[in-house]
Amino acid sequence: MFDQLSKLGKYLGQAANLMVGLPDYDTYVAHMRANHPDQTPMTYEEFFRERQDARYGGGDGKVGRCC
């Protein structure tokens, strides 16, 4: 039962992240290992910051949206 609750919590967390435009880190790491094995994947903190900057515009002062 606790295993099922743990899985449910993980799925709900993934759904919440996708709703705000944050892809799943585990999926990113799996993609990097499968398609770019010569590159080192970003840490979770780097991934989170990069995704936030891409979505909301960061660093260069530009806002990453159309209006």
Side-chain angles (χ1 to χ4, degrees):
M1 178 169 165
F2 289 112
D3 186 47
Q4 291 176 334
L5 288 175
S6 176
K7 287 180 183 176
L8 177 63
K10 183 176 179 174
Y11 292 138
L12 289 175
Q14 288 175 345
N17 285 338
L18 288 172
M19 288 173 59
V20 296
L22 186 64
D24 183 52
Y25 180 70
D26 293 337
T27 303
Y28 159 74
V29 171
H31 169 82
M32 289 297 290
R33 288 188 177 145
N35 298 302
H36 310 282
D38 55 325
Q39 298 178 13
T40 303
M42 292 183 274
T43 64
Y44 181 80
E45 290 78 17
E46 292 169 337
F47 175 78
F48 184 81
R49 175 60 58 195
E50 192 275 332
R51 290 289 80 211
Q52 273 193 328
D53 288 348
R55 181 164 177 89
Y56 299 111
D60 61 358
K62 293 181 181 176
V63 177
R65 54 187 167 152
C66 63
C67 52

